[in-house]
Amino acid sequence: MMSADTTRQTSAPAAPAPGTATPQAPSPALAALADAAVGGGDRLPPEFFTDPDPAPGATHAANTRLRGTGCPVHPINYPPGADAYVVSEYETALKAFGDPRLSKSVDNAPGWFRDLLKDSSPVLIRNMITADAPEHTRLRRLVSRAFVPRRMALLRPRIQEITDELIDALPESGEIDLMEFAFTLPMRVICEFLGVPIEDRPDLHAWGYWLSGAPFADEESNRRLKEASDAIERYLVGLLDRRRAEGLGDDLVSILLRAADEEDVFTNDELVSTLVLLIIAGHKTTANLIGNGFQALFRFPGQLELLRAKPELVETAVEEFLRFEPPVYRGTLRVATEDMELGGCPVPREGFVHILMDSANRDPEAFEDPDRLDITRSANRHFAFGHGAHFCVGAPLSRVEGSVAFPTLLRRLPGLELAVPHDALEWVFDNSTSRGLKKLPVRYRTRLAADAPEEVR
């Protein structure tokens, strides 16, 4: 394999602005990948992340070709002009997750990237996702006590109430965009968990959109990113001040403030950055879990009917949705702190490493018949929430939300089915690491009451 171009970029990397439409003609990504798989020479183009072929299954087909080259690590031109690599196979991904030479700290990134992130969104660089131990350990301790599975289980009755309230507001029958429900549920849950007033939640959703894709390439997007960063920071500083003045309660903001004040090891900036991270991760990931999971069920109607008939399978079903079509398809920032070798490929110091969780989750060496959805699959060691020290701290909350949403929607909306051909669904590929649907049009025969007797269903 040829080594990647070592030319350093001194300005922002090129990437499409958010909301750019996916072209209906095939992008060059898959064609370039086919050439790379045969010739083993060129780096994957940026479009492999930002503008993939829109055909159904194209992304997974591309990942299959990557794994089929026999090399688990491949150079990619993303960010453009930088040394960067993708990890496509399960075992190499497992090693990469735990390799101490792969840093999560922005301080170890190339200067141009570090400066760009600090200039465009300083609020994002003071939390646990952009830190290594011991800083990561200290910052993670700040929130881990609030997200323990036992505490998340206590939230289940309220999550059920919110889910039923949202379904009560749907039409009695007909067609809806299920992604609207999918985004609204986790946003309401995380905002209630944080104690955010209802009237402020639309602003948080809008700010979170921009912050989830940082940093961008074009100046206009980075300007709007900076505006969102400044606005959410002002809002959260005010929220912290009000909570301190009014007295602490049981909400997450109070929990974090109490921990910070008692231990005196967390700054106000770190509290704000941590809250931003929780807002972004706390709704987008779960929204995509719900959307991606239902589109998978619609592709495998036998599995849909099985879950409808046996809602007690929802726990293993949620894990299978996370494996089969993960809401976060690649890992966040990882940078080599020294010249190293990964999967037989040389990775230079300051080289970016992207762990492809969606590819590792379909690796036939790790999962039997990986392209088949099986909601009864056991020993499902997927990477949807990462692995190791940086395993997603919000995973317990997302799992509870999913385990409530799927059976409730199937129970209360008889005949729930996809309202368009499956190949008409459009995936969102933007500047973020998440993957989900733009819309998920569905229809159903009727909307049942939450307490409808079993024989009516």
Side-chain angles (χ1 to χ4, degrees):
M1 175 186 296
M2 291 179 61
S3 62
D5 182 4
T6 57
T7 302
R8 292 292 192 269
Q9 178 167 310
T10 57
S11 60
T20 301
T22 302
Q24 293 307 303
S27 78
L30 212 54
L33 177 57
D35 292 340
V38 175
D42 294 333
R43 292 190 291 170
L44 298 173
E47 292 84 0
F48 185 74
F49 284 162
T50 62
D51 190 22
D53 290 347
T59 299
H60 297 301
N63 290 335
T64 298
R65 294 192 183 194
L66 275 182
R67 295 191 304 270
T69 64
C71 182
V73 179
H74 307 261
I76 186 171
N77 188 25
Y78 190 88
D83 289 308
Y85 305 83
V86 296
V87 178
S88 61
E89 296 180 3
Y90 188 94
E91 285 302 320
T92 305
L94 185 64
K95 294 175 183 176
F97 274 122
D99 196 318
R101 299 171 297 176
L102 294 178
S103 171
K104 297 282 289 178
S105 174
V106 174
D107 292 337
N108 288 313
W112 63 264
F113 184 88
R114 184 172 61 247
D115 293 342
L116 177 61
L117 187 56
K118 288 180 177 179
D119 290 342
S120 61
S121 186
V123 75
L124 286 176
I125 61 175
R126 301 187 293 262
N127 60 60
M128 60 187 174
I129 205 171
T130 54
D132 298 324
E135 283 295 286
H136 169 261
T137 306
R138 177 179 64 85
L139 292 169
R140 188 180 178 93
R141 189 169 64 246
L142 175 63
V143 296
S144 60
R145 70 193 69 185
F147 281 89
V148 293
R150 177 180 54 82
R151 184 179 179 86
M152 295 301 99
L154 294 176
L155 291 176
R156 181 181 289 271
R158 179 55 187 150
I159 294 172
Q160 183 68 63
E161 289 177 357
I162 295 172
T163 302
D164 282 321
E165 289 171 7
L166 293 176
I167 295 175
D168 288 341
L170 296 177
E172 291 189 5
S173 63
E175 184 175 322
I176 61 169
D177 176 9
L178 195 58
M179 290 310 299
E180 293 182 3
F181 170 93
F183 272 102
T184 304
L185 172 62
M187 177 57 82
R188 277 193 58 179
V189 170
I190 193 64
C191 284
E192 284 201 10
F193 197 21
L194 292 171
V196 172
I198 293 176
E199 61 269 19
D200 296 339
R201 295 172 190 177
D203 286 335
L204 288 178
H205 179 77
W207 295 330
Y209 166 78
W210 287 100
L211 290 166
S212 67
F216 295 95
D218 60 290
E219 293 184 5
E220 174 60 19
S221 293
N222 275 321
R223 182 189 66 77
R224 297 187 66 176
L225 169 61
K226 183 64 164 60
E227 289 179 351
S229 179
D230 291 344
I232 199 170
E233 184 165 11
R234 286 193 301 269
Y235 175 82
L236 291 174
V237 167
L239 184 65
L240 292 173
D241 290 343
R242 289 195 301 274
R243 195 71 87 250
R244 284 190 175 103
E246 297 168 358
L248 304 183
D250 295 327
D251 57 90
L252 180 56
V253 172
S254 296
I255 292 171
L256 298 183
L257 277 171
R258 194 175 288 114
D261 292 343
E262 289 175 357
E263 301 180 19
D264 195 29
V265 291
F266 306 109
T267 68
N268 217 54
D269 285 347
E270 289 169 342
L271 284 174
V272 169
S273 189
T274 297
L275 288 172
V276 172
L277 173 64
L278 295 177
I279 290 168
I280 295 172
H283 81 281
K284 194 171 186 179
T285 300
T286 303
N288 287 341
L289 163 61
I290 295 170
N292 295 0
F294 267 106
Q295 71 82 28
L297 286 173
F298 295 139
R299 280 185 56 198
F300 293 83
Q303 297 294 293
L304 173 65
E305 292 309 314
L306 178 60
L307 184 57
R308 198 193 306 270
K310 296 185 175 182
E312 64 271 16
L313 292 175
V314 69
E315 304 293 341
T316 55
V318 165
E319 297 307 311
E320 180 68 344
F321 301 147
L322 289 165
R323 180 199 71 84
F324 190 78
E325 204 73 76
V328 176
Y329 75 97
R330 62 181 169 94
T332 52
L333 172 78
R334 277 179 173 79
V335 182
T337 58
E338 61 183 61
D339 293 341
M340 59 179 288
E341 187 175 279
L342 182 63
C345 179
V347 177
R349 179 177 174 272
E350 294 191 342
F352 291 86
V353 174
H354 306 281
I355 301 176
L356 299 182
M357 281 98 81
D358 62 345
S359 181
N361 283 354
R362 297 283 190 104
D363 188 342
E365 295 298 317
F367 299 96
E368 182 180 356
D369 198 4
D371 293 326
R372 177 176 61 87
L373 185 74
D374 178 7
I375 65 171
T376 68
R377 190 183 296 269
S378 60
N380 199 337
R381 300 173 295 111
H382 61 75
F383 289 144
F385 291 122
H387 181 78
H390 284 271
F391 183 82
C392 178
V393 71
L397 177 58
S398 185
R399 282 171 162 143
V400 171
E401 290 172 315
S403 69
V404 170
F406 283 101
T408 304
L409 285 163
L410 289 174
R411 173 172 55 84
R412 295 197 55 192
L413 303 179
L416 184 66
E417 62 181 2
L418 192 61
V420 297
H422 203 91
D423 59 8
L425 296 176
E426 291 187 75
W427 294 91
V428 178
F429 280 89
D430 50 23
N431 208 43
S432 72
T433 60
S434 63
R435 183 168 188 249
L437 294 163
K438 291 182 179 180
K439 294 183 178 181
L440 184 56
V442 299
R443 56 178 168 249
Y444 51 93
R445 294 193 304 271
T446 187
R447 171 174 51 80
L448 298 179
D451 58 355
E454 189 67 33
E455 56 268 22
V456 174
R457 303 168 191 164

